[in-house]
């Protein structure tokens, strides 16, 4: 027997070589919950699985294996993740479906490990972040009937040096930080916007937040890796890059340059094919004037400020182990609007934090009125396992927390509707994201993906525009926080 390779003479095959047996091409579906950072992690896992011989399918009902990328942030998100795992388990062969295994990954799996595995036997395995680099082999083993021992949860901050500049030497697994995006990331969505991870983890010690304990300390991606992935995404048809992390204002501090984001943003905006760059999750106390100016005035970078205020009362913020007060926050917004009067501004606030008085609540409400933000997410406080605030004594009754959250939510709905109405007459550039049933819907520069409302382009249809087009238009009406705009001729 002989073999032949193009461009060479036939050679005799070694008699000792065993015949190569191809492994079966198993199908896998990714189900993703939670934030945009999880979206990036899912696409990295999908790329690793595809490179490892799995065939990606969109519908979980068509998959041999269903991988559920869970969220472990707050109680409602945890419940959604468990519900998704149970729904995937209903697709298994013993229930008449095709799936042979259901696997939990993501923040809930990392945060609770073996405890989640014991409480949720419907999942065939619970994999932590350290399993991600070998995800394909892990899944093959699970499908072959091998048992997987879920990890015992630990504080991932302890895996990295305390000094930020020493963290680049660590070999700890950091989801979404692999280099070479063409080989380790596979897009699961085809829209014109894609999340791009700047960093992972957080060095802040907010008393209400457990994220650093299971996501680890703050680690920046190197600018070369971020730019390489941006070029790859642009080659996939992406028009808007949505930069995500737990704290974008800290980018570069572990690389020796706290102002690295100011340098990186113009380079990202200059990537061929990229029309818009958007930064998410800015810590107000770390938002320096140079960064405000770069975001507000760099061509191709949208003037959009996702500022994590969390509250406005200085007393409550100190108990949260955060910094600020109404005067400093309003001063920051004044800086933003002096440079970019039409900038989009969003934030989140926590209501009913332990020790919050009626006076503190009024300070928050007064601040929200003065701030004139486009979108504000309102969350009622609840204890999170392992956080400092969970041990506080002066907690409010659950009914009182709920009542306060409803009050602030009602106020926010009124304020954001009024803010949208203030934008009537403004000229906006809308990135078209869907064209269905003669309705063309997209987002203006002031609107972030998923949670900031949309813009309906009046008078257009699929004969005049396509998904991914940028359309100049004038805002002519509103519907809550959503805008209605008429394209310019």
């Amino acid at each position: 027997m002989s073999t032949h390779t193009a461009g060479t003479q036939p050679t005799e095959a070694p008699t000792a070589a065993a015949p190569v047996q191809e492994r079966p091409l198993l199908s896998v579906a990714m189900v993703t919950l939670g934030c945009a950072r999880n979206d990036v992690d899912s696409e990295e896992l999908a790329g690793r699985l595809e490179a490892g011989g799995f065939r990606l399918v969109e519908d979980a009902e068509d998959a041999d294996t269903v991988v559920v990328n869970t969220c472990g942030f707050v109680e409602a998100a945890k419940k959604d993740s468990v519900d998704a795992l149970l729904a995937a388990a209903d697709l298994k062969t013993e229930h008449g479906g095709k799936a042979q295994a259901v696997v939990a990954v993501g923040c809930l799996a990392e945060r609770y490990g073996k405890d989640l595995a014991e409480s949720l036997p419907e999942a065939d395995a619970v994999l932590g972040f350290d399993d991600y680099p070998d995800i394909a082999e892990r899944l093959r083993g699970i499908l072959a009937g091998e048992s997987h021992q879920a990890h015992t949860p630990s504080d991932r901050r302890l895996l990295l040096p305390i000094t930020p500049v020493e963290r680049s030497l660590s070999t700890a697994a950091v989801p979404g930080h692999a280099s070479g995006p063409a080989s380790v990331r596979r897009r699961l969505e085809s829209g014109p916007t894609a999340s791009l991870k700047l960093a992972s983890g957080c060095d802040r010690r907010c008393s209400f937040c457990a994220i650093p304990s299971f996501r680890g300390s703050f680690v920046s991606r190197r600018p070369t890796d971020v730019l390489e992935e941006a070029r790859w995404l642009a080659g996939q048809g992406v028009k808007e890059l949505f930069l995500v992390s737990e704290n974008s204002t800290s980018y570069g501090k572990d690389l020796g340059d706290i102002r690295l984001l100011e340098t990186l943003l113009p380079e990202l905006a200059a990537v061929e094919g990229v029309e818009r760059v958007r930064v998410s999750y800015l810590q107000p106390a770390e938002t320096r004037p140079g960064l405000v100016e770069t975001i507000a005035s760099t061509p191709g970078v949208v003037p959009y400020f996702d500022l994590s205020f969390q509250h406005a009362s200085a007393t409550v913020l100190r108990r949260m182990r955060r910094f600020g007060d109404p005067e400093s926050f309003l001063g920051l917004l004044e800086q933003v609007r002096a440079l970019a009067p039409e900038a989009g501004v969003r934030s989140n606030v926590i209501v009913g934090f332990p020790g919050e008085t009626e006076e503190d609540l009024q300070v928050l409400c007064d601040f929200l009125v003065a701030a004139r933000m486009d979108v504000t997410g309102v969350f009622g406080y609840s204890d999170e396992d392992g956080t400092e605030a969970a041990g506080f004594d002066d907690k409010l009754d659950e009914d009182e927390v709920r009542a306060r959250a409803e009050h602030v939510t009602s106020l926010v709905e009124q304020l954001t509707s009024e803010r949208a109405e203030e934008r009537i007459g403004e000229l906006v550039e809308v990135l078209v994201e869907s064209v269905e049933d003669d309705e063309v819907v997209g987002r203006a520069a002031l609107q972030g993906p998923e949670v900031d409302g949309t813009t309906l382009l009046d008078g257009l249809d699929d004969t005049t525009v396509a998904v991914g087009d940028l359309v100049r238009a004038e805002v002519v009406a509103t519907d809550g926080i959503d805008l209605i705009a008429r394209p310019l001729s």
Side-chain angles (χ1 to χ4, degrees):
M1 174 177 128
S2 64
T3 61
H4 184 272
T5 303
T8 66
Q9 295 297 318
T11 58
E12 191 71 17
T15 56
V20 176
Q21 293 184 348
E22 292 187 3
R23 291 192 282 187
L25 195 64
L26 298 165
S27 58
V28 60
M30 295 291 310
V31 177
T32 305
L33 295 99
C35 64
R37 300 183 292 275
N38 250 17
D39 292 338
V40 177
D41 295 350
S42 284
E43 294 194 347
E44 180 186 302
L45 289 172
R48 291 186 183 279
L49 287 167
E50 190 171 59
F54 281 80
R55 177 172 57 87
L56 296 169
V57 296
E58 186 174 339
D59 195 332
E61 294 184 0
D62 300 327
D64 298 306
T65 311
V66 182
V67 177
V68 181
N69 191 356
T70 60
C71 178
F73 180 40
V74 293
E75 205 59 42
K78 297 175 196 174
K79 182 181 183 303
D80 288 344
S81 294
V82 170
D83 289 346
L85 285 163
L86 293 173
D90 285 341
L91 303 176
K92 291 168 67 172
T93 52
E94 59 258 41
H95 299 295
K98 179 181 179 180
Q100 301 170 44
V102 171
V103 176
V105 298
C107 292
L108 191 70
E110 176 62 37
R111 186 176 181 183
Y112 293 104
K114 67 175 185 178
D115 293 336
L116 178 64
E118 291 170 359
S119 64
L120 198 70
E122 292 85 353
D124 296 278
V126 173
L127 304 183
F129 295 154
D130 292 330
D131 293 304
Y132 283 21
D134 302 311
I135 187 69
E137 289 306 311
R138 293 286 187 275
L139 259 60
R140 285 191 180 278
I142 294 162
L143 288 166
E146 298 173 10
S147 60
H148 177 81
Q149 184 66 40
H151 68 286
T152 300
S154 62
D155 191 334
R156 290 192 72 85
R157 289 171 292 193
L158 303 178
L159 300 178
L160 294 168
I162 294 175
T163 305
V165 294
E166 296 177 359
R167 293 174 188 165
S168 62
L169 303 176
S170 173
T171 58
V174 183
H177 279 229
S179 58
S183 61
V184 297
R185 183 171 179 178
R186 163 71 144 76
R187 288 208 73 198
L188 298 174
E189 301 288 342
S190 59
T193 300
S195 299
L196 175 57
K197 189 170 282 193
L198 279 177
S200 288
C202 186
D203 286 341
R204 301 186 73 88
R205 294 294 181 267
C206 301
S207 61
F208 57 84
C209 183
I211 289 176
S213 66
F214 56 86
R215 275 289 182 178
S217 298
F218 184 87
V219 180
S220 301
R221 295 184 71 194
R222 293 199 171 275
T224 50
D225 290 338
V226 177
L227 284 164
E228 183 185 4
E229 190 161 337
R231 296 185 189 103
W232 179 78
L233 288 168
Q236 301 287 308
V238 170
K239 299 292 184 67
E240 179 177 314
L241 301 175
F242 185 45
L243 306 185
V244 299
S245 72
E246 275 77 19
N247 179 7
S248 297
T249 36
S250 282
Y251 180 72
K253 72 174 187 179
D254 51 328
L255 301 177
D257 184 0
I258 190 60
R259 294 177 174 81
L260 192 56
L261 187 55
E262 286 96 307
T263 304
L264 180 61
L265 284 172
E267 295 185 68
L268 287 169
V271 170
E272 185 175 356
V274 171
E275 300 286 350
R276 300 202 306 206
V277 178
R278 184 183 305 274
V279 186
S280 71
Y281 213 84
L282 305 172
Q283 286 286 350
E286 297 179 30
T287 305
R288 51 205 173 269
L291 181 57
V292 172
E293 184 175 358
T294 300
I295 294 174
S297 59
T298 302
V301 177
V302 295
Y304 173 83
F305 292 83
D306 176 13
L307 294 161
S308 175
F309 290 124
Q310 300 299 354
H311 210 281
S313 163
T315 303
V316 174
L317 286 166
R318 281 195 296 271
R319 290 176 62 80
M320 289 179 167
R321 297 205 179 278
R322 296 176 68 85
F323 304 95
D325 51 48
E327 291 74 24
S328 63
F329 290 166
L330 291 173
L332 176 57
L333 292 175
E334 187 177 345
Q335 290 178 43
V336 167
R337 288 166 176 152
L339 291 167
E342 297 176 357
V345 181
R346 81 169 325 274
S347 190
N348 295 308
V349 296
I350 297 173
V351 179
F353 191 78
E356 181 191 67
T357 64
E358 293 280 358
E359 183 180 356
D360 293 326
L361 183 66
Q362 189 59 51
V363 168
L364 173 62
C365 292
D366 291 344
F367 164 72
L368 293 172
V369 171
R372 296 171 47 246
M373 291 186 286
D374 296 278
V375 178
T376 304
V378 180
F379 297 88
Y381 171 81
S382 62
D383 287 339
E384 280 297 311
D385 298 335
T387 61
E388 181 184 3
F392 287 173
D393 294 328
D394 48 354
K395 292 175 186 171
L396 279 67
D397 179 83
E398 287 185 9
D399 290 339
E400 177 64 20
V401 172
R402 187 180 304 109
R404 293 188 182 192
E406 290 174 354
H407 171 69
V408 176
T409 298
S410 177
L411 173 64
V412 161
E413 288 175 351
Q414 175 188 340
L415 293 173
T416 52
S417 292
E418 290 174 357
R419 178 63 181 138
E421 289 174 2
E422 289 176 8
R423 293 193 178 277
I424 293 176
E426 285 187 11
L427 300 183
V428 293
E429 189 171 59
V430 180
L431 177 64
V432 175
E433 294 192 310
S434 70
V435 182
E436 296 179 2
D437 301 325
D438 291 330
E439 273 198 352
V440 177
V441 178
R443 286 180 298 106
L446 63 97
Q447 297 168 319
E450 304 293 340
V451 292
D452 285 0
T454 60
T455 300
L456 172 68
L457 288 168
D458 187 34
L460 296 183
D461 56 33
D462 59 1
T463 65
T464 50
V465 293
V467 170
D469 286 349
L470 282 165
V471 178
R472 291 277 293 170
E474 179 184 356
V475 179
V476 295
T478 65
D479 182 7
I481 63 171
D482 296 328
L483 305 178
I484 300 169
R486 182 171 298 125
L488 303 179
S489 58

